[in-house]
Structures are given as C-alpha cells and as structure tokens.
Amino acid sequence: MAQPLVKKDDDRDDEADYSPFLGIEKGAVLQEARVFNDPQLDPRRCSQVITKLLYLLNQGETFTKVEATEVFFAVTKLFQSKDIGLRRMVYVMIKELSPSADEVIIVTSSLMKDMTSKTDMYRANAIRVLCRITDGTLLTQIERYLKQAIVDKNPVVASAALVSGIHLLQTNPEIVKRWSNEVQEAVQSRAALVQFHALALLHQIRQNDRLAVNKLVSSLTKGSVRSPLAQCLLIRYTSQVIRESANIQAGDRPFYDFLEGCLRHKAEMVIFEAARAITELNGVTSRELTPAITVLQLFLSSSKPVLRFAAVRTLNKVAMTHPMAVTNCNIDMESLISDQNRSIATLAITTLLKTGNESSVDRLMKQITNFMSDIADEFKIVVVEAIRSLCLKFPLKHKSLMNFLSNILREEGGFEYKKAIVDSIVILIRDIPEAKETGLLHLCEFIEDCEFTYLSTQILHFLGIEGPKTSDPNKYIRYIYNRVHLENATVRAAAVSTLAKFGAMVDTLKPRIFVLLRRCLFDNDDEVRDRATLYLNTLGGDGTVVQTSDDVKEFLFGSLDIPLVNLENSLKNYEPSEESFDINSVPREVKAQPLAEKKAPGKKPTGLGAPPAGPPSTVDAYEKLLSSIPEFANFGKLFKSSAPAELTEAETEYAVNVVKHIFDGHVVFQYNCTNTIPEQLLENVTVIVDASEAEEFAEVASKPLRSLPYDSPGQTFVAFEKPEGIPAVGKFSNMLRFIVKEVDPSTGEAEDDGVEDEYQLEELEVVAADYMLKVGVSNFRNAWESMGADCERVDEYGLGPRESLAEAVNAVIDLLGMQPCEGTEVVPNNSRSHTCLLSGVYIGNIKVLVRLQFGLDGPKDVAMKLAVRSEDEAVSDAIHEIVASG
Amino acid sequence: MDSCPCIKNFLLLDSEGNRVAVKYYSDEWPTNSAKEAFEKALFSKTQKTNARTEAEIAMFENHIIVYKFVQDLHFFVVGAEGENELILVTVLQGFFDAVGLLLRGNVDKKEALENLDLILLCLDEIVDGGVILETDANAIAGKVASHSVDATAPLSEQTISQALATAREHLARSLLNCMYVPVPWLADDDAMGSSG
C-alpha cells in the first residue's frame, strides 16, 4: 500500500496523477544544484532546485557528508541574490542541512548582515537560522542583537528571537538568563503571540525560583493576557504554583478564582485548560469541581469530535477519584456510546463503568453489547478490563457480567483480546467463589472451539487445578477428553495431564479416567503417549483403585523446586556417562535477584499468569528460596514476606534493601545487596544486626554472602527467634560488613588481598502490620455476619488533629496492614464521616475483620470507632492494642 | 517539567499514505524507517474515519493525533499524550487553512506538490523546533505568500487579499528580474521597498 512515491507514479495513469517530481533522482538534482554557482543567478530556477532538494530530504533521502557539504557551500552563494522568495528557501535549506561548526562560519557573516537588515522578514528568519545552527562562542557575539530583537517593535522579529531563546536555554542557559529584563518587557507586549513566547521563555528562565514564578503568576493573573495560548500557559503555571504551595486550607485555595474565571473565557482552548487544571488539583473538593464538570459536560454534546474527546478523556480521569462528581454527566455520556469516533465511545463506556452503581450495571451491559461488535480489538480490551474491575467491585452482579464475558468470548477476536477475556474470567473465578462453576463451564465451552493453542493449554491447566475441587468434577471430563480427539499434539498433551489431575484428586472418577488414559496410549504423538504412560503407571492404572499417595501427587503435579535456569545449566554441563544425571546436584541458590525488581508483592491477580517461563509469584519464590537454605529449613511455613524496603540512599556505593520474612516463631531478614563500584569485589558480606531495641528477638543464624561482584545482586540473611505466635515488634540497626578487594577494570581480576570494611545502613523495624496478611473477602457483610459477635471487641479512639479524613483513614489502614474491602479506602470529598472495611489474616492463620468508623470531631480532630471480629478474642484484643499503641 | 505546548510532528500524506511533506520536531523517531512505520500505522488507523467536515482525533502509541482530510490529502498534527487537545487542533486548523489559502482553494495532492515550496515555508512559519510560532491561517499564509512580515495587518478579506498576494508575488518576481523598478502600489511595503 505504501510504496515509494516515485514507483507508484510510474504504475499509475499519467495524467490524473501527474507529479512535478516524477522520476526525480538525487544525482541529477545534485548536478542541477550547480546553477547556484552561476555568475548570473536565476532566482526562480534556484528556488526550484532547492525545492527539489528539500523534496528529496522530505522523502527520507539522505546526503552523504561530501554531498551535504557541497550543497551547503553552493547554497551559501545564493546570499548574493536579492530575491526574497529565494532567500526564504535558502534559510529553510540551511536549517535542513544542519551544517557542522566549521561550515557555520561561512554563513555567519551573511546571516548577521540579514539579522541587522531593515527588512523584518530577513531579521526574523536570520535569527531563527543563526540560533539553530550556532554554538556557544558565536552566541556571545550576536547576543546584543538578540536582546534588541526581543524588544523589536515588529512582533514576528520579537517572536523569532524569543522562540530561539527557548531553544538556546537548553544548551546555553547562562547566556539566555541574562536576557530576562528584555523578556520581561516582551511579556507586556501588545502582540498576542509575542506575549505567549515571552511568557514561555520567562517561566523557563525562572522555573527553579519558586518565589519568582509565584510573583509572575500573581501579577499576570490580575492583568490581562491577550492570546489564548498565553492564557493556557498561565493556567499551567498557576496550577504549578498551587501544587507547590504547601498546607492549603480547603476553601481558600490561592488562585482558584482565577482558574474558575478562565472557565468563562471566550476561547475553548482556555476553558478546557482551566477545567482540566481544576480537576487535577490536589485534593480537589466537589464544590471546586462542580463548575469545571459543568463546562466539560457542555463539551460532551459539541459537534466537534476533538472537544468531545477532550472532555470525555478528562472526565474519565476524574471518575477514577471522584466517581460521584461525574454521575451528572451520565446521560450525555451514554449517548456517546454510539459516537462515530471509537476512542470517544470507549472512553465514555469505561467512564460509565467506573461511575455506574450496582443498579445500572444491567442496563449498561445491554448497551455495551451492541457496541462491542463494531470496535477494534484494542478498545475491546480496555472495555473488558473495565468490566473486570466492575465485577470485582460488585460481586453480586457476577452473573450478568460473567454472561457478558462469555458472550464476547464466543465472538470473533484476536489473540490479545481473547486472552484479556480469559484472564478476566480466571480472576473472577478466583476472587468470587460463587462465580466459579459457571466460569469454568464458560471456559470449557470456549476451548471446544478455540483456535489459540496457548489459551487452550492454559485453560486446561487451570481446569486441572480448579475442576477437581468443584461439587461435580464429572461434568468437565467430557470437555477435556474431547480435546484429546480433536486438537493438535500440544493441546492433547495438556488435556492428558488435566485428565490425570482429575484422576489423582477425585478417587471416584479414577476407573473412568484410566479407561480414557489408556486410549491415549495409541496416540501418534510421542509426548502424548509418554504422558499417558507415566500417569497410568504412577497413579496405579493396573485396575486397582487405590488412593494416590501424596508423594506421587507431589512428583506429578508439584512445582519444581529448583530454578529452571540452574537446571538448564546443569543439564548443559552434563556429559553422558555411566553415572546418571542427579537432580540433587543442581544448585538451588537463586543467582540473580529478580524479586527485588518486582514492584508490588501484594497478591495482585495476574490471570493465567505469565507464559510458562515467567517467574512464579513472589510468595512462592521467597518460600522456595528460604527452604533451600538449610539453616532456615525448620522454621515452618512462611507466613508473610514484606515488600523490599531500602536501607540505603539511591546512588550510593552499595545498594541494600531488606525483605522481612515472618515465620511463626522466627523472623528472617533478607538483605538484597548490590555493589555499584566496578573496581571492587566484596567478599564474605554479612549484616551485623544490633537488636538491643528489640528485646524479644534473639539472633539464631546468619548466612553470609560469599562474594558480591560489581552489579550482580546477591543476598545475605539473618534469622531471629521470637516468641511463638506473638507479634513481637522492635527496631534493628544494621551494619554491612565485608572484605573489599580491588578489581583491575581492564582484566576484571581481583587482587588477592582484601581489606575488611564496614558500611552503615539505615534502621529497619518490625511492626505489627508485618504479622497481618492482606486477604480480601468478596462480600464483607456476609463474612462479618458469619464470623459472629462472639469475639467482637469494640472501642473508641481519638486520633487527634489530622490533615484530612482521608489521611486518617490511610494512616490506620497502613498501621494495621489489612486489605480494604469494597473500595471503602476511598473517602469522598467533604464527607464528615466515613466507614472503612478491612480484612486480613493474622499470624497463626486467624481471620480478622475490621470495621472502622471515622468521624470529624470539631474542625480537624478525628475520632474513630474500631470494631474487630476474629476467630480468636486474643487476636481481637491484639488489633486494638496495635491501634492503641500506634 | 517543560509545560510549554509542544508539537511533535506534522504529516501531510496522500490518499495512499505516502508522504507529501512531513516535518518531525521530536527525536522519538530517530530513523527514516521509524518515521515511515509510524506514518503507515497512523494512516491505516485513521484512513477509514471521516475527518472531512470536522477535525478528528485519536490516541495512538501514546500520542494525541488530530487530523483532517480534504480531497486526496491527509493532514496530521501529533502531540504528547498530556497535551491540550484544543491547542493541537488549533495548530492543525491553522496549517489546514493556510494551505487552503496558499493553494487558492485547490487543495489536492497535485497542487500541493506543485507548490511544495509554499507548503514547506508554511510549516516553517507555524512551528519552530516544536514551539508554536503562529496559528492564524491568514497570518501564516500572508507571511509565506507575500514575503512580508507585517502580521499586524490581517488579510481580512481572504479571496481578494490572496489574489492580491499572488499577483504581487508574480509581479514582483518578474519586475525584479528585468528592471528593478519600484512598484507604486507596493511602496508602503518594507520588503519590496528595500529590494526595489
């Protein structure tokens, strides 16, 4: 479709598609450029040749260094001509050629002459060209002229100088900063665009001086700014000032009146800029939001797509933090679902999904169904993701949402889209127990007619895990066995494994599974046959129905507890001999530390998970890592691992962060260390922990890191014993101790002798929240009721003066380290009271539910009623203690 | 933070996605093949939309694209994701209308290529290194066509002023070429005056 222009013109009818550049060739044009050297210049012809050269450059043609130099020198000759049109083309050409420093000298005098010319057009353009190609030394020579030009009475000249100043500020800030008096004067210019350019430059000169920016904004917001563009700039600078001014009391936000006034400006660009600025204010109140939302709502019904898009995009963002404020626009938004522009329609839908309440879900789904068929896959994915989060928000609506997902799963679509849907269904199955059976059946139906091998195998794997746990595993067998008949070898093999899983987990199904597996022994694919044979033999397919032992289950379906990379390396190194390969010889230690790079260790649902090679979930990985260290092997089950906390400043010699692993009777600190000095090798790295401020802890073991080469992270561990099941807290100070050896950077070899050295790290703390797992419940009310009031503890607390209610709520959530439920962590603006629901699992696997009721007591004081229900009243008391002592 | 509105590039493509004129200000597309790939993808994404009466808009690879079509020409302006859409569309409209004025209403690929010099000068007058220079179509076209920089005298009556500008240009060219005689009714024009 996009063929090179020249070629295409050859193929086409001549007359209709005539191009003046038909058959143009670089060599010929370069020859033509010789006319630039003629003693009698023909301006018209020269202009044409320049146009041709520019055309070639524009089409992506490049000139060699020699060609470019030649053209450049030829072009400089054209300064002799007095033809204005030609001169313009010369300017453009010089800019396109971006000459080297020694070439620049050739044109400098010509350009400086033009810069002081009486002709405004020459002055303006010469300034722009000269500033584009100049370097610092030349700049000092022409500085005087530039300063004059900034205050030139001709606006085009002034703008040219100012815009050049904006560019030069990046490379020669100290020179441009000397012009601020002139720029200041230009800000007062009557010409609209001069004011715009001057304002932009002045702000950039002063942007690091908060006071100056503040002054600039205060004076200009009072005065009149002429150009809409300058007004937009002013709005941006104003919101920057608002952002940076600390401790705003609600109600008397500085400059808010200015922003609100801009909503009545005559230029739409300014109105929109102001509305957007208001919606992005920190902690914006609904009273502040209202006028902005009102103008955006008007834009929604504009005839111009750009206005509608701008408005719906902004409202979409507002809906994330202030869904209530946007509900007024819902009617306008619904009519946008059928918008011609699909970007607008998608944004409208996702906004509606965010603002919608439980009762409007069904109606919304109906509208979306019509819309889904005629949008592109990328938009569909956005909608699917919005629906997923809606479903997690309103678990009771899972039926209609799940139906919707299964319907769109049946329709046409590409891999990414189908994967998004399948992922969503999987997440819903995991998080909403009630949705499990229907969800699994939808997935079963999908693999009946699924063209993507990857998705089929992933679903089969998932079925193998979830299917046997359902009330009637029997009904899935048919779907799985059908795969063995109808699919390619990869899917068949996956289906065999899934069948075997059902067989291993559900004893009643065993005989029938064995029959099916035996049929697979005649498959024409090796892998399928091998799997069937393995499963039949290990599960006892010799006709006797025995309970499958845990060992067998672990062997067949357990996860591999050695890193795949290490296994791969060991297998590569293994040479066939008498001795068979010993899997125990594979090192278990994780070499590079991929865990620290993972952002949130929280239990974020990841759908079917990454492709097989991807890392396992953080918790699993930590557990594996720790169990591979013999010293820690007897600590029992890992309860919780914290997120990595930095113990060093960024960009220090050694970067260290710590992960706290909590066991029932032990705590293990995992120090992830990185050596950032190429000339050093660290050996025998340990962390010396001083636990004098943590009385209940006693150090039991530490595992030093043998060597820590440059830029290759390693871990060292220190383990502490603590009273069993007790949430002991304390402070630990840390000192990194190691032997440092010089490394020759050229050879990479370390010297033999090392010096012992120490490096002070920051303190770390074990807090109550470390003993709490963030585990959500889908229906808090049900969980609360079923927990019963037996172990309920209720008390009231005064939290003292707080910045805001939201801040108080977040502080308590952080203190407890629990999972907020049903979106109750978000405090609506201006509310004077709030209820927040939390759930979690406390050490010892005790389920805990918390209901927090906050109220404003006086202007700032926050009071809180804390109700805790758990399976153990001691734990309920412990939660109260955390709050009381926090 | 650079809060000055910024244009990443202009694209003027034909009805098959081939370049008529393009100008990149951002170095996000370092090579010509990267540019071409971007243009191709953008063209195929927007091709089917109807951007003939009103400018249309799309999000594409973390850019905001505003575009407008006329005849066999597709005009695009590309800006950053967080840019004010209405500023971008003002620039687009300035470009679009200025080209309309310069090509005397015959806006199609053939005319555009025949007057490529005007199109390139037009781009040069709208944006300098990503910074918006001018958005008013009359001012842009005035600067390009008449080679005068007197933007304070807007060409209020478009058709007449335009005809005038073209006539003036042709006349000036031929006069300059043969005899360098000042033209009486151009006497107030600085640019002409100095060269005559």
Side-chain angles (χ1 to χ4, degrees), chain A residues 23-34 45 49 52-53 56:
Chain A
I24 191 170
E25 226 187 349
K26 184 170 84 168
V29 180
L30 289 173
Q31 287 285 325
E32 271 188 82
R34 299 213 169 136
R45 183 149 160 61
V49 176
K52 282 186 190 169
L53 289 167
L56 285 173

Side-chain angles (χ1 to χ4, degrees), chain A residues 525-547:
Chain A
D525 182 79
D526 291 350
E527 172 76 18
V528 179
R529 280 198 312 274
D530 287 356
R531 285 197 190 194
T533 313
L534 173 73
Y535 292 131
L536 278 171
N537 286 334
T538 45
L539 296 176
D542 48 5
T544 53
V545 175
V546 287
Q547 195 156 6

Side-chain angles (χ1 to χ4, degrees), chain A residues 608-625:
Chain A
L608 286 172
S617 83
T618 323
V619 180
D620 287 351
Y622 280 137
E623 206 163 0
K624 243 176 232 174
L625 177 70

